[in-house]
Amino acid sequence: MVTGTAAFDLTGRTALVTGSSQGIGRTLAEGLAHAGATVIVHGRDAAKAARTAEEIAAVSARPVFSAVFDVTDPAAVDAGVTAIEASHGVVDILVNNAGIQRRAPITEFSDEDWDDIVRTNLSSAFYLSRRVSRGMVARGSGKIVQIGSVQSQLARPGIAPYAATKGAIVMLTKGLCADLAPHGIQANAVAPGYFATELTQPLVNDEQFSAWVRGRTPAGRWGDTKDLVGALVFLASSASDFVNGQTIYVDGGMTAVV
């Protein structure tokens, strides 16, 4: 058994991070690269994903590649993962990070927006986990990390569908544990609180909302995306080999208090 800081070393492992050409996903991909992993940046824009991969490689001195496929299309997921396996072997670490948000009162929420959220936030995690875990099962090891949210257990007006998908991610994670733990695979989730990113910048700039976030969060601030890296590296490494089916809330204490 590897112990000490060596248990967190990801050297020799290949990590696929969906939706990692920007925002939280990019920081997660960079964090895995700094921990020693060979990272595959994924996105919908080929040029952007390739550029992000180059930038992460430059700062981490690690090999970083890119992949482009539609995570909401099971056939595209199968083809994309098959191509990755042909080039890099079976993925050691899968991070299901791709996600979107739509806001509207429930009485006005459209079918199209509901379908988009479910496909992107939940179905994609199922498709990727199903496909990648086949290789993991055959090999007898692997790490799957879902990106949840404080909305996995807390609701706010206007985002009921988003909260529903993130709550489902918690149970999907438990289900993956039940199916995959006997094969030496660990499936866990990281659930961020309110983080400052490109996508949340309008909320960060809204002083009334920012004041609410600071007041509601015991740490008294928005999260920095780098705050997520430690939890991810732990769940992606040998240090968490006996941790399975769990959700770690990285939220400055928000879900711990009322």
Short mmCIF file of all heavy atoms in Angstrom, two decimals, residues 170-222:
data_model
loop_
_atom_site.label_atom_id
_atom_site.label_comp_id
_atom_site.label_asym_id
_atom_site.label_seq_id
_atom_site.Cartn_x
_atom_site.Cartn_y
_atom_site.Cartn_z
N VAL A 170 -25.76 12.74 -7.16
CA VAL A 170 -25.39 12.10 -5.90
C VAL A 170 -25.82 10.64 -5.90
O VAL A 170 -25.06 9.75 -5.50
CB VAL A 170 -26.00 12.86 -4.70
CG1 VAL A 170 -25.84 12.06 -3.41
CG2 VAL A 170 -25.36 14.24 -4.56
N MET A 171 -27.04 10.37 -6.35
CA MET A 171 -27.52 8.98 -6.35
C MET A 171 -26.89 8.16 -7.46
O MET A 171 -26.66 6.96 -7.29
CB MET A 171 -29.05 8.97 -6.47
CG MET A 171 -29.75 9.43 -5.21
SD MET A 171 -29.15 8.62 -3.68
CE MET A 171 -29.45 6.89 -4.06
N LEU A 172 -26.58 8.77 -8.60
CA LEU A 172 -25.84 8.06 -9.64
C LEU A 172 -24.49 7.61 -9.10
O LEU A 172 -24.03 6.49 -9.35
CB LEU A 172 -25.66 8.94 -10.88
CG LEU A 172 -24.82 8.34 -12.02
CD1 LEU A 172 -25.45 7.06 -12.56
CD2 LEU A 172 -24.63 9.37 -13.14
N THR A 173 -23.85 8.49 -8.33
CA THR A 173 -22.56 8.17 -7.73
C THR A 173 -22.67 6.96 -6.80
O THR A 173 -21.83 6.06 -6.82
CB THR A 173 -22.02 9.39 -6.97
OG1 THR A 173 -21.87 10.48 -7.88
CG2 THR A 173 -20.68 9.09 -6.33
N LYS A 174 -23.71 6.94 -5.99
CA LYS A 174 -23.91 5.79 -5.09
C LYS A 174 -24.18 4.52 -5.90
O LYS A 174 -23.70 3.43 -5.56
CB LYS A 174 -25.07 6.08 -4.14
CG LYS A 174 -24.80 7.18 -3.11
CD LYS A 174 -26.02 7.43 -2.26
CE LYS A 174 -25.80 8.57 -1.27
NZ LYS A 174 -24.86 8.22 -0.20
N GLY A 175 -24.98 4.66 -6.97
CA GLY A 175 -25.26 3.50 -7.80
C GLY A 175 -24.02 2.96 -8.49
O GLY A 175 -23.84 1.74 -8.60
N LEU A 176 -23.16 3.86 -8.95
CA LEU A 176 -21.89 3.43 -9.55
C LEU A 176 -21.04 2.68 -8.53
O LEU A 176 -20.39 1.68 -8.86
CB LEU A 176 -21.13 4.63 -10.10
CG LEU A 176 -21.74 5.34 -11.32
CD1 LEU A 176 -20.94 6.60 -11.63
CD2 LEU A 176 -21.79 4.42 -12.53
N CYS A 177 -21.04 3.17 -7.30
CA CYS A 177 -20.31 2.48 -6.24
C CYS A 177 -20.84 1.05 -6.09
O CYS A 177 -20.05 0.09 -6.03
CB CYS A 177 -20.46 3.24 -4.94
SG CYS A 177 -19.91 2.34 -3.46
N ALA A 178 -22.15 0.90 -6.05
CA ALA A 178 -22.74 -0.42 -5.86
C ALA A 178 -22.34 -1.38 -6.98
O ALA A 178 -22.05 -2.55 -6.74
CB ALA A 178 -24.26 -0.31 -5.77
N ASP A 179 -22.32 -0.87 -8.22
CA ASP A 179 -22.00 -1.72 -9.37
C ASP A 179 -20.51 -1.96 -9.55
O ASP A 179 -20.09 -3.04 -9.98
CB ASP A 179 -22.54 -1.08 -10.65
CG ASP A 179 -24.03 -1.34 -10.86
OD1 ASP A 179 -24.57 -2.24 -10.18
OD2 ASP A 179 -24.64 -0.64 -11.69
N LEU A 180 -19.70 -0.94 -9.26
CA LEU A 180 -18.30 -0.98 -9.68
C LEU A 180 -17.30 -1.25 -8.57
O LEU A 180 -16.18 -1.67 -8.85
CB LEU A 180 -17.94 0.35 -10.36
CG LEU A 180 -18.76 0.68 -11.62
CD1 LEU A 180 -18.39 2.07 -12.13
CD2 LEU A 180 -18.57 -0.37 -12.70
N ALA A 181 -17.67 -1.04 -7.31
CA ALA A 181 -16.72 -1.28 -6.23
C ALA A 181 -16.16 -2.70 -6.22
O ALA A 181 -14.96 -2.89 -5.97
CB ALA A 181 -17.36 -0.96 -4.87
N PRO A 182 -16.97 -3.73 -6.53
CA PRO A 182 -16.41 -5.08 -6.56
C PRO A 182 -15.33 -5.28 -7.63
O PRO A 182 -14.58 -6.26 -7.58
CB PRO A 182 -17.63 -5.96 -6.87
CG PRO A 182 -18.80 -5.18 -6.39
CD PRO A 182 -18.44 -3.76 -6.68
N HIS A 183 -15.22 -4.32 -8.57
CA HIS A 183 -14.22 -4.41 -9.64
C HIS A 183 -13.01 -3.52 -9.38
O HIS A 183 -12.22 -3.27 -10.29
CB HIS A 183 -14.86 -4.04 -10.97
CG HIS A 183 -16.02 -4.92 -11.34
ND1 HIS A 183 -15.86 -6.19 -11.85
CD2 HIS A 183 -17.36 -4.71 -11.25
CE1 HIS A 183 -17.05 -6.73 -12.07
NE2 HIS A 183 -17.97 -5.86 -11.72
N GLY A 184 -12.89 -3.01 -8.16
CA GLY A 184 -11.73 -2.19 -7.83
C GLY A 184 -11.84 -0.75 -8.28
O GLY A 184 -10.82 -0.07 -8.42
N ILE A 185 -13.07 -0.28 -8.51
CA ILE A 185 -13.29 1.08 -9.03
C ILE A 185 -13.97 1.91 -7.95
O ILE A 185 -14.91 1.44 -7.30
CB ILE A 185 -14.16 1.04 -10.29
CG1 ILE A 185 -13.46 0.22 -11.38
CG2 ILE A 185 -14.48 2.45 -10.79
CD1 ILE A 185 -14.38 -0.21 -12.50
N GLN A 186 -13.48 3.14 -7.77
CA GLN A 186 -14.11 4.06 -6.82
C GLN A 186 -14.84 5.17 -7.57
O GLN A 186 -14.29 5.77 -8.50
CB GLN A 186 -13.06 4.69 -5.90
CG GLN A 186 -12.41 3.72 -4.93
CD GLN A 186 -11.33 2.87 -5.58
OE1 GLN A 186 -10.42 3.42 -6.21
NE2 GLN A 186 -11.42 1.56 -5.44
N ALA A 187 -16.09 5.42 -7.18
CA ALA A 187 -16.91 6.48 -7.76
C ALA A 187 -17.35 7.42 -6.64
O ALA A 187 -18.02 7.00 -5.69
CB ALA A 187 -18.12 5.90 -8.47
N ASN A 188 -16.96 8.67 -6.76
CA ASN A 188 -17.29 9.66 -5.75
C ASN A 188 -17.65 10.98 -6.44
O ASN A 188 -17.55 11.10 -7.66
CB ASN A 188 -16.12 9.87 -4.79
CG ASN A 188 -15.83 8.64 -3.95
OD1 ASN A 188 -16.57 8.31 -3.03
ND2 ASN A 188 -14.74 7.93 -4.27
N ALA A 189 -18.05 11.96 -5.65
CA ALA A 189 -18.45 13.26 -6.22
C ALA A 189 -17.85 14.40 -5.41
O ALA A 189 -17.66 14.28 -4.20
CB ALA A 189 -19.97 13.38 -6.26
N VAL A 190 -17.57 15.48 -6.10
CA VAL A 190 -17.19 16.74 -5.48
C VAL A 190 -18.32 17.73 -5.76
O VAL A 190 -18.74 17.89 -6.91
CB VAL A 190 -15.87 17.29 -6.06
CG1 VAL A 190 -15.58 18.69 -5.50
CG2 VAL A 190 -14.72 16.35 -5.75
N ALA A 191 -18.83 18.36 -4.71
CA ALA A 191 -19.97 19.28 -4.85
C ALA A 191 -19.54 20.69 -4.49
O ALA A 191 -19.41 21.02 -3.30
CB ALA A 191 -21.14 18.82 -3.98
N PRO A 192 -19.30 21.53 -5.49
CA PRO A 192 -18.88 22.91 -5.20
C PRO A 192 -20.02 23.76 -4.65
O PRO A 192 -21.20 23.52 -4.94
CB PRO A 192 -18.43 23.44 -6.57
CG PRO A 192 -18.27 22.23 -7.43
CD PRO A 192 -19.26 21.24 -6.92
N GLY A 193 -19.63 24.77 -3.88
CA GLY A 193 -20.57 25.81 -3.49
C GLY A 193 -20.60 26.88 -4.56
O GLY A 193 -20.60 26.59 -5.75
N TYR A 194 -20.62 28.14 -4.15
CA TYR A 194 -20.64 29.25 -5.11
C TYR A 194 -19.20 29.66 -5.44
O TYR A 194 -18.45 30.11 -4.58
CB TYR A 194 -21.43 30.43 -4.54
CG TYR A 194 -22.91 30.19 -4.62
CD1 TYR A 194 -23.58 29.47 -3.65
CD2 TYR A 194 -23.64 30.66 -5.71
CE1 TYR A 194 -24.94 29.22 -3.75
CE2 TYR A 194 -25.01 30.43 -5.82
CZ TYR A 194 -25.65 29.70 -4.83
OH TYR A 194 -27.00 29.46 -4.94
N PHE A 195 -18.85 29.47 -6.73
CA PHE A 195 -17.50 29.72 -7.19
C PHE A 195 -17.49 30.82 -8.25
O PHE A 195 -18.38 30.88 -9.10
CB PHE A 195 -16.88 28.44 -7.76
CG PHE A 195 -16.30 27.55 -6.71
CD1 PHE A 195 -17.13 26.84 -5.85
CD2 PHE A 195 -14.93 27.44 -6.55
CE1 PHE A 195 -16.59 26.03 -4.86
CE2 PHE A 195 -14.39 26.64 -5.56
CZ PHE A 195 -15.22 25.93 -4.71
N ALA A 196 -16.46 31.65 -8.18
CA ALA A 196 -16.29 32.72 -9.17
C ALA A 196 -15.64 32.14 -10.42
O ALA A 196 -14.50 31.68 -10.38
CB ALA A 196 -15.43 33.83 -8.59
N THR A 197 -16.37 32.14 -11.53
CA THR A 197 -15.86 31.66 -12.82
C THR A 197 -16.34 32.61 -13.91
O THR A 197 -17.10 33.56 -13.65
CB THR A 197 -16.37 30.24 -13.14
OG1 THR A 197 -17.78 30.31 -13.39
CG2 THR A 197 -16.10 29.28 -12.00
N GLU A 198 -15.92 32.32 -15.15
CA GLU A 198 -16.40 33.13 -16.27
C GLU A 198 -17.94 33.10 -16.35
O GLU A 198 -18.58 34.11 -16.63
CB GLU A 198 -15.83 32.62 -17.60
CG GLU A 198 -14.32 32.66 -17.69
CD GLU A 198 -13.70 31.30 -17.43
OE1 GLU A 198 -14.11 30.63 -16.43
OE2 GLU A 198 -12.82 30.89 -18.20
N LEU A 199 -18.51 31.92 -16.07
CA LEU A 199 -19.95 31.77 -16.22
C LEU A 199 -20.73 32.43 -15.09
O LEU A 199 -21.87 32.83 -15.28
CB LEU A 199 -20.31 30.27 -16.29
CG LEU A 199 -19.76 29.51 -17.50
CD1 LEU A 199 -20.16 28.04 -17.44
CD2 LEU A 199 -20.24 30.14 -18.80
N THR A 200 -20.12 32.54 -13.90
CA THR A 200 -20.83 33.16 -12.77
C THR A 200 -20.46 34.63 -12.58
O THR A 200 -20.93 35.26 -11.64
CB THR A 200 -20.54 32.40 -11.46
OG1 THR A 200 -19.13 32.46 -11.18
CG2 THR A 200 -21.00 30.96 -11.54
N GLN A 201 -19.64 35.19 -13.47
CA GLN A 201 -19.18 36.56 -13.29
C GLN A 201 -20.32 37.56 -13.14
O GLN A 201 -20.24 38.48 -12.31
CB GLN A 201 -18.27 36.98 -14.45
CG GLN A 201 -17.46 38.24 -14.16
CD GLN A 201 -16.57 38.10 -12.94
OE1 GLN A 201 -15.86 37.12 -12.78
NE2 GLN A 201 -16.63 39.09 -12.04
N PRO A 202 -21.43 37.43 -13.91
CA PRO A 202 -22.54 38.37 -13.70
C PRO A 202 -23.09 38.32 -12.27
O PRO A 202 -23.49 39.35 -11.71
CB PRO A 202 -23.59 37.91 -14.72
CG PRO A 202 -22.80 37.26 -15.80
CD PRO A 202 -21.67 36.56 -15.08
N LEU A 203 -23.10 37.12 -11.65
CA LEU A 203 -23.57 37.01 -10.27
C LEU A 203 -22.55 37.60 -9.31
O LEU A 203 -22.91 38.25 -8.32
CB LEU A 203 -23.82 35.54 -9.93
CG LEU A 203 -24.93 34.84 -10.70
CD1 LEU A 203 -25.01 33.38 -10.30
CD2 LEU A 203 -26.28 35.53 -10.46
N VAL A 204 -21.25 37.38 -9.60
CA VAL A 204 -20.20 37.97 -8.77
C VAL A 204 -20.29 39.49 -8.81
O VAL A 204 -20.11 40.18 -7.80
CB VAL A 204 -18.80 37.50 -9.24
CG1 VAL A 204 -17.70 38.21 -8.44
CG2 VAL A 204 -18.67 35.99 -9.12
N ASN A 205 -20.60 40.03 -9.98
CA ASN A 205 -20.68 41.48 -10.15
C ASN A 205 -21.94 42.08 -9.54
O ASN A 205 -22.02 43.30 -9.33
CB ASN A 205 -20.63 41.84 -11.64
CG ASN A 205 -19.29 41.51 -12.28
OD1 ASN A 205 -18.29 41.37 -11.57
ND2 ASN A 205 -19.26 41.38 -13.59
N ASP A 206 -22.94 41.24 -9.27
CA ASP A 206 -24.18 41.69 -8.64
C ASP A 206 -23.93 41.81 -7.14
O ASP A 206 -23.91 40.83 -6.42
CB ASP A 206 -25.30 40.69 -8.93
CG ASP A 206 -26.64 41.10 -8.35
OD1 ASP A 206 -26.67 41.85 -7.36
OD2 ASP A 206 -27.67 40.63 -8.88
N GLU A 207 -23.75 43.03 -6.65
CA GLU A 207 -23.32 43.22 -5.27
C GLU A 207 -24.33 42.67 -4.27
O GLU A 207 -23.96 42.12 -3.23
CB GLU A 207 -23.05 44.70 -4.98
CG GLU A 207 -22.50 44.96 -3.57
CD GLU A 207 -21.35 44.03 -3.17
OE1 GLU A 207 -20.45 43.79 -3.99
OE2 GLU A 207 -21.36 43.52 -2.03
N GLN A 208 -25.61 42.77 -4.59
CA GLN A 208 -26.63 42.24 -3.67
C GLN A 208 -26.50 40.71 -3.56
O GLN A 208 -26.53 40.15 -2.46
CB GLN A 208 -28.03 42.61 -4.14
CG GLN A 208 -29.13 42.15 -3.20
CD GLN A 208 -30.51 42.60 -3.65
OE1 GLN A 208 -30.67 43.25 -4.68
NE2 GLN A 208 -31.53 42.27 -2.86
N PHE A 209 -26.31 40.06 -4.72
CA PHE A 209 -26.18 38.60 -4.69
C PHE A 209 -24.86 38.20 -4.04
O PHE A 209 -24.81 37.25 -3.26
CB PHE A 209 -26.26 38.03 -6.11
CG PHE A 209 -26.35 36.53 -6.14
CD1 PHE A 209 -27.57 35.89 -5.97
CD2 PHE A 209 -25.22 35.75 -6.31
CE1 PHE A 209 -27.67 34.51 -5.97
CE2 PHE A 209 -25.30 34.36 -6.31
CZ PHE A 209 -26.52 33.74 -6.15
N SER A 210 -23.78 38.92 -4.36
CA SER A 210 -22.49 38.61 -3.76
C SER A 210 -22.53 38.76 -2.25
O SER A 210 -21.92 37.97 -1.51
CB SER A 210 -21.39 39.50 -4.35
OG SER A 210 -20.84 38.94 -5.51
N ALA A 211 -23.24 39.76 -1.78
CA ALA A 211 -23.37 39.95 -0.34
C ALA A 211 -24.12 38.78 0.28
O ALA A 211 -23.77 38.31 1.38
CB ALA A 211 -24.09 41.26 -0.05
N TRP A 212 -25.12 38.27 -0.43
CA TRP A 212 -25.85 37.10 0.07
C TRP A 212 -24.92 35.89 0.14
O TRP A 212 -24.92 35.15 1.13
CB TRP A 212 -27.04 36.80 -0.84
CG TRP A 212 -27.74 35.53 -0.41
CD1 TRP A 212 -28.69 35.40 0.55
CD2 TRP A 212 -27.51 34.22 -0.94
NE1 TRP A 212 -29.07 34.09 0.67
CE2 TRP A 212 -28.36 33.33 -0.22
CE3 TRP A 212 -26.67 33.70 -1.93
CZ2 TRP A 212 -28.40 31.96 -0.48
CZ3 TRP A 212 -26.70 32.33 -2.18
CH2 TRP A 212 -27.56 31.48 -1.46
N VAL A 213 -24.12 35.68 -0.90
CA VAL A 213 -23.19 34.54 -0.92
C VAL A 213 -22.21 34.64 0.24
O VAL A 213 -21.97 33.67 0.98
CB VAL A 213 -22.42 34.47 -2.26
CG1 VAL A 213 -21.27 33.46 -2.17
CG2 VAL A 213 -23.35 34.09 -3.39
N ARG A 214 -21.62 35.82 0.43
CA ARG A 214 -20.66 35.99 1.52
C ARG A 214 -21.31 35.78 2.88
O ARG A 214 -20.71 35.18 3.78
CB ARG A 214 -20.01 37.37 1.44
CG ARG A 214 -19.13 37.58 0.20
CD ARG A 214 -18.30 38.84 0.31
NE ARG A 214 -19.12 40.04 0.39
CZ ARG A 214 -19.54 40.75 -0.66
NH1 ARG A 214 -19.20 40.36 -1.89
NH2 ARG A 214 -20.27 41.83 -0.49
N GLY A 215 -22.54 36.25 3.02
CA GLY A 215 -23.22 36.10 4.30
C GLY A 215 -23.69 34.68 4.56
O GLY A 215 -23.72 34.23 5.71
N ARG A 216 -24.06 33.97 3.49
CA ARG A 216 -24.59 32.61 3.64
C ARG A 216 -23.47 31.57 3.78
O ARG A 216 -23.72 30.47 4.28
CB ARG A 216 -25.45 32.28 2.40
CG ARG A 216 -26.09 30.89 2.41
CD ARG A 216 -27.10 30.73 3.53
NE ARG A 216 -27.68 29.39 3.52
CZ ARG A 216 -27.10 28.30 4.01
NH1 ARG A 216 -25.89 28.39 4.56
NH2 ARG A 216 -27.70 27.12 3.96
N THR A 217 -22.26 31.93 3.37
CA THR A 217 -21.13 31.01 3.41
C THR A 217 -20.28 31.30 4.65
O THR A 217 -19.76 32.40 4.79
CB THR A 217 -20.25 31.18 2.15
OG1 THR A 217 -21.06 31.03 0.99
CG2 THR A 217 -19.12 30.17 2.12
N PRO A 218 -20.14 30.33 5.57
CA PRO A 218 -19.35 30.58 6.77
C PRO A 218 -17.95 31.11 6.49
O PRO A 218 -17.41 31.91 7.26
CB PRO A 218 -19.31 29.21 7.45
CG PRO A 218 -20.60 28.58 7.06
CD PRO A 218 -20.82 29.01 5.64
N ALA A 219 -17.33 30.67 5.38
CA ALA A 219 -15.99 31.17 5.04
C ALA A 219 -16.02 32.64 4.63
O ALA A 219 -14.97 33.28 4.55
CB ALA A 219 -15.39 30.33 3.91
N GLY A 220 -17.19 33.16 4.32
CA GLY A 220 -17.34 34.59 4.07
C GLY A 220 -16.86 35.06 2.71
O GLY A 220 -16.57 36.24 2.52
N ARG A 221 -16.80 34.15 1.73
CA ARG A 221 -16.32 34.54 0.40
C ARG A 221 -16.83 33.58 -0.66
O ARG A 221 -17.34 32.50 -0.35
CB ARG A 221 -14.78 34.55 0.37
CG ARG A 221 -14.14 33.16 0.59
CD ARG A 221 -12.63 33.23 0.41
NE ARG A 221 -11.95 31.97 0.69
CZ ARG A 221 -11.77 30.98 -0.19
NH1 ARG A 221 -12.24 31.11 -1.43
NH2 ARG A 221 -11.12 29.88 0.15
N TRP A 222 -16.68 33.99 -1.92
CA TRP A 222 -16.88 33.08 -3.05
C TRP A 222 -15.72 32.08 -3.08
O TRP A 222 -14.61 32.39 -2.65
CB TRP A 222 -16.88 33.86 -4.36
CG TRP A 222 -18.12 34.63 -4.65
CD1 TRP A 222 -18.46 35.86 -4.13
CD2 TRP A 222 -19.17 34.27 -5.55
NE1 TRP A 222 -19.66 36.27 -4.64
CE2 TRP A 222 -20.13 35.33 -5.52
CE3 TRP A 222 -19.41 33.18 -6.38
CZ2 TRP A 222 -21.30 35.29 -6.28
CZ3 TRP A 222 -20.56 33.14 -7.13
CH2 TRP A 222 -21.51 34.19 -7.09
#
